[in-house]
Amino acid sequence: MSATTSQLQVDGKTVDMAIKTGSIGPSVIDIGKLYAQTGMFTYDPGFTSTASCESQITYIDGDEGVLLYRGYPIEQLAEHGDFLETCFLLLEGELPTAAQKADFDYRVTRHTMVHEQMARFFQGFRRDAHPMAVMVGSIGAMSAFYHDSTDISDPHQRMVASMRMIAKMPTLAAMAYKYTVGQPFVYPLNSLDYSSNFLRMCFAVPAEEYKVNPVLSRALDRIFILHADHEQNASTSTVRLAGSSGANPFACIAAGTACLWGPAHGGANEAALKMLEEIGSVENIPKFIAKAKDKNDPFRLMGFGHRVYKNYDPRAKIMQKTTHEVLNELGIKDDPLLDVAIELERIALSDSYFIEKKLYPNIDFYSGITLKAMGFPTSMFTALFALARTVGWIAQWKEMIEDPSQRIGRPRQLYTGSPPREYAPIGRR
Ligand code: ACO
């Protein structure tokens, strides 16, 4: 039988700490009373050994390369489901019945338009602004436009805010794109499914008829499913921390979007594609591998490595297949970037440095090539990630708000600054 308590010796004193066991995955040592009993904090920068919450949404086994949404393997959801079904699953905990699915699709679809004044709000941005800068600003502005769904103590308002975020994110992302290329915004078309609608809002122009390519739409839907949630990653933890103070959901998602932007997180798909372009051809790969292994060189192979996956990222495998489907559909036979990617992956996976450090390709390694082939500029990649991750952020935020034991998140620190000292007037410094 597994132990239910653990003991810690501190300054000759024994402190008992409960061990809590989840349904699968590592148990946790409950250190909540440690400070009260010992006057000490725990220290874990980067949170490599810290579970910040209890959650029933997503499970990752990084050693085995397993990802489950509400218990369902990502491979099965990506193969058989669609993105809105995944959204329902993440939010409600169960796969929808046919009637629930139809109702959910209907409700999301009826929220796709954004307040007309948002279009004027967009005019305030520079045309050359990065789409993620526009996304962070416009998502934050949603709380100014949808004030009637910002009371987090009202379950109905929480539900409406969730629907609005999932429905309006593609519209905002498409507007961010259209704005940077100087084309008119395209209104959503409710007869289309979620991903087809997004493709049309991005690539249709009033001067021509636009026909959605079903292969591209299905591929995009799969990309959205793969990115929908990933337990307590940096942006999700940001959303939870922002939400723990009682901030409204639009503000929390804006905070998560800002965190996602960084190149170590969601910005890696953009960085991975830029790196493949910089490598340029297969002959240059050894030079870049050597740079990645050089301790004195800050260069890293973008799209490789993951804090949790110490095995092949299961999403990367599905993504690789999707990449080939899209390139075939578009008749792209000899894409030099794909050649570089395949060879880079082959060399890295057989190199002792990468094997020993368990550095495998992550989802971003292939998603960039696919999105580029579909016609998205690299600057839009992270915005698409934010669009897909919104449901995960919302589901995690909702789970936290509905937890009766929820309180503000407030980490402590190991202070290494100056001890108390006397203020010196400016003339005596
Ligand atoms: N290329 C070369 N070496 C690497 C790489 C890489 N991509 N990633 C990690 N390493 C090395 C580190 O130098 C370190 O070596 P050391 O032990 O000799 O010091 C070791 O592997 C461990 O790396 P850490 O940075 O400690 O691992 P951490 O868990 O903190 O970082 C991260 C994970 C940020 C993803 C890292 O692997 C990385 O920077 N990868 C490239 C960026 C990227 O692809 N990010 C996408 C993440 S997935 C996502 O957000 C969807």
Side-chain angles (χ1 to χ4, degrees), residues 264-265 268 295 300-301 303-304 306-307 353 357 359 362 364:
H265 192 9
K295 278 235 156 285
R300 283 184 170 200
L301 279 192
F304 275 79
H306 196 277
R307 171 59 64 80
Y353 174 92
K357 294 188 189 300
L359 298 169
N362 57 50
D364 295 320

Side-chain angles (χ1 to χ4, degrees), residues 94-114:
E94 297 295 336
L95 284 168
T97 61
Q100 286 171 327
K101 173 75 165 57
D103 175 62
F104 187 76
D105 287 6
Y106 178 86
R107 285 191 293 150
V108 170
T109 306
R110 262 66 201 171
H111 277 296
T112 48
M113 282 173 63
V114 294

Side-chain angles (χ1 to χ4, degrees), residues 7 12 29 48 143 205 214 233 263 266 281 339 370 385 426:
Q7 264 109 37
I29 301 170
T48 48
S143 41
V205 287
N233 57 85
S281 68
D339 292 345
T370 320
F385 190 164
I426 196 158

Side-chain angles (χ1 to χ4, degrees), residues 47-104:
F47 309 119
T48 48
S49 298
T50 298
S52 60
C53 63
E54 233 180 271
S55 181
Q56 300 182 351
I57 302 174
T58 294
Y59 174 76
I60 303 173
D61 183 334
D63 294 324
E64 296 297 323
V66 170
L67 171 61
L68 310 176
Y69 292 164
R70 300 282 190 181
Y72 293 101
I74 189 68
E75 293 83 357
Q76 293 180 20
L77 294 169
E79 181 72 27
H80 305 297
D82 69 27
F83 179 64
L84 286 186
E85 183 185 60
T86 299
C87 290
F88 185 98
L89 174 68
L90 288 169
L91 287 168
E92 304 294 337
E94 297 295 336
L95 284 168
T97 61
Q100 286 171 327
K101 173 75 165 57
D103 175 62
F104 187 76

Side-chain angles (χ1 to χ4, degrees), residues 140-376:
M142 294 259 282
S143 41
F145 287 93
Y146 300 100
H147 213 260
D148 58 346
S149 54
T150 53
D151 178 359
I152 62 160
S153 62
D154 177 350
H156 177 71
Q157 292 201 28
R158 289 204 295 272
M159 187 274 290
V160 173
S162 306
M163 290 294 163
R164 282 179 166 158
M165 292 299 311
I166 294 167
K168 294 182 198 306
M169 215 55 175
T171 315
L172 291 181
M175 287 169 83
Y177 171 63
K178 286 296 197 191
Y179 190 71
T180 57
V181 289
Q183 291 180 1
F185 297 138
V186 175
Y187 286 98
L189 186 62
N190 287 352
S191 56
L192 292 178
D193 64 74
Y194 192 85
S195 301
S196 302
N197 196 18
F198 179 61
L199 281 173
R200 183 178 165 275
M201 285 192 289
C202 287
F203 299 122
V205 287
E208 276 174 25
E209 201 189 326
Y210 180 80
K211 266 185 89 76
V212 180
N213 180 327
V215 175
L216 300 194
S217 153
R218 177 71 191 120
L220 190 63
D221 206 69
R222 199 171 288 145
I223 292 175
F224 290 163
I225 295 173
L226 298 180
H227 285 88
D229 195 43
H230 215 223
E231 54 119 305
Q232 308 312 319
N233 57 85
S235 57
T236 303
S237 298
T238 301
V239 170
R240 278 189 179 255
L241 195 56
S244 77
S245 73
N248 75 68
F250 303 107
C252 297
I253 301 301
T257 307
C259 176
L260 186 75
W261 193 359
H265 192 9
N269 51 12
E270 185 175 344
L273 195 88
K274 282 189 180 147
M275 178 195 73
L276 292 177
E277 284 170 345
E278 202 188 327
I279 295 175
S281 68
V282 169
E283 306 81 72
N284 294 331
I285 292 175
K287 197 172 78 197
F288 283 86
I289 295 263
K291 267 167 77 66
K293 288 158 65 173
D294 182 355
K295 278 235 156 285
N296 301 317
D297 191 326
F299 175 79
R300 283 184 170 200
L301 279 192
M302 286 293 143
F304 275 79
H306 196 277
R307 171 59 64 80
V308 181
Y309 292 119
K310 301 302 169 196
N311 200 325
Y312 216 104
D313 178 343
R315 302 167 303 169
K317 278 193 192 144
I318 306 166
M319 200 58 241
Q320 188 187 30
K321 195 168 149 243
T322 302
T323 303
H324 286 288
E325 281 168 14
V326 167
L327 296 183
N328 274 344
E329 174 64 18
L330 297 174
I332 304 172
K333 297 252 177 306
D334 303 308
D335 182 355
L337 287 188
L338 190 64
D339 292 345
V340 172
I342 290 170
E343 186 59 8
L344 184 64
E345 181 183 10
R346 192 191 64 76
I347 296 180
L349 289 179
S350 55
D351 188 295
S352 60
Y353 174 92
F354 291 88
I355 293 169
E356 275 158 28
K357 294 188 189 300
K358 298 188 175 163
L359 298 169
Y360 291 85
N362 57 50
I363 186 170
D364 295 320
F365 187 63
Y366 279 105
S367 61
I369 302 171
T370 320
L371 295 175
K372 179 174 178 272
M374 285 179 174
F376 290 103

